[in-house]
């Protein structure tokens, strides 16, 4: 097989699923070289998109390991395709957080002391030496890119548990391999529990206004091109202090936000119609509104917000929500099992059991994923 003519080998190997491309590279030096050719990669990813037209490819962090998953939204079935192999060949690394940006993954290790940028498609990694004296990198590290020169960057900041104090902001440029201090201060206080997402090279969070942080919530952006925080932007629905707020991307074009109201267990999901660092507009109608009480009665646990992730498919009118539940379906028992729910706007839901978890506080986190041709 390794002696096939190049054009025939290219045609055959371009139909290999993304999850198996690592095995191809280990088959022979010739196939390894071919699989890393940019033109072959473009053909390969094109074939993959055709073969998985009805599926979402998802990268999931679960029990400190990273998996490649496929979710068939038409049949509401989730399949675990493969565990993504160790970030380095010599030893495995436990991962606590994964931040997705343009096909690249910014990973924070379980001990919160190391950062690594990872392109799973190429099998390339780049370890970044942190410069802050902070042991909670997962709360403060985000990725984006400069649209003017397509330079990928990492934003890190330290803030204290105070409405007004914001200690230090630094940015790392992968092109120059260096950190710089930024003299910028956001208009609001970022809610740690809301996480953050990357869209069009920028990072968005939920934030509270100063000095009364918890009176009202906003959307806030960091623009990696101008290297500045944007103004506080309005959100579409009333927020209360004990509500869980989640943020996700839609087709890498828009943002979706979800509110889980703790007092009523109502879930609401809204989608933007326009999103820029300095401006936002929202759809006039809620995408999904659902009473989550039946799921909570079944033992579903949403965590505190930073432990939950979701995404939606507008065409199929479903939301995919990751979390934990209990085998007994008892609200008073600590969650022991990783689960994913596919929830329809019509109120229907399908649960997939992802297995028992030995880590009560480690919630599964998932994000839609499209392989990237960016070289590290």
């Amino acid at each position: 097989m390794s002696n096939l003519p190049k054009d025939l080998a290219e045609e055959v190997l371009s139909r290999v699923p993304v999850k198996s491309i690592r095995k191809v590279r280990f088959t022979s030096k010739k196939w390894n070289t071919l699989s890393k050719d940019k033109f072959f990669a473009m053909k390969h990813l094109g074939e993959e998109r055709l073969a998985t037209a009805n599926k979402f490819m998802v990268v999931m962090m679960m029990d400190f390991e990273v998996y490649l998953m496929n979710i068939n939204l038409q049949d509401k079935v989730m399949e675990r395709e493969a565990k993504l192999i160790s970030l380095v060949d010599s030893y495995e690394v436990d991962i606590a957080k994964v931040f997705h940006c343009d096909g690249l993954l910014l990973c924070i290790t379980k001990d919160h002391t190391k950062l690594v940028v990872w392109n799973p498609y190429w099998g390339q990694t780049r370890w970044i030496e942190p410069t802050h004296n902070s042991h909670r990198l997962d709360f403060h590290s985000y990725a984006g890119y400069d649209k003017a020169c397509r330079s990928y960057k990492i934003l890190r900041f330290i803030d204290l548990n105070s409405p007004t104090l914001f200690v230090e902001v630094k940015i790392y440029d992968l092109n120059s391999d260096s950190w710089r201090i930024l003299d910028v201060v956001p208009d609001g206080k970022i809610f740690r529990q809301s996480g953050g997402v990357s869209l069009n090279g920028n990072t968005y969070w939920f934030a509270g206004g100063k000095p009364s942080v918890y009176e009202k919530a906003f959307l806030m952006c960091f623009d990696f091109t101008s290297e500045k925080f944007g103004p506080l932007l309005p959100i579409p629905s009333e927020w209360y202090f004990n509500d869980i707020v989640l943020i996700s991307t839609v087709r890498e074009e828009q943002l979706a936000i979800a509110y889980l109201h703790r007092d009523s267990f109502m879930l609401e999901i809204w989608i933007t119609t326009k999103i820029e660092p300095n401006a936002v507009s929202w759809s006039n109608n809620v995408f999904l509104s659902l009473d989550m009480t039946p799921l909570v009665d079944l033992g579903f646990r949403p965590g505190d917000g930073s432990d939950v992730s979701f995404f939606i498919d507008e065409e199929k009118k479903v939301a995919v929500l990751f979390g934990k539940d209990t085998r007994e379906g008892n609200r008073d028992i600590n969650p022991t099992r990783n689960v994913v729910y596919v929830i329809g706007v019509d109120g229907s839901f399908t649960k997939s059991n992802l297995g028992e978890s030995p880590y009560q506080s480690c919630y599964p986190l998932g994000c839609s994923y499209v392989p990237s041709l960016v070289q590290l």
Side-chain angles (χ1 to χ4, degrees), residues 331-345:
R331 292 192 191 189
D332 300 323
I333 297 177
N334 290 327
T336 61
R337 186 168 52 185
N338 296 318
V339 295
V340 58
Y341 284 91
V342 179
I343 304 171
V345 297

Side-chain angles (χ1 to χ4, degrees), residues 150-167:
R150 202 66 178 189
S151 172
Y152 289 84
K153 301 176 181 180
I154 297 172
L155 175 74
R156 289 207 59 217
F157 57 81
I158 297 176
D159 61 343
L160 300 181
N161 190 20
S162 161
T164 57
L165 282 176
F166 202 83
V167 178

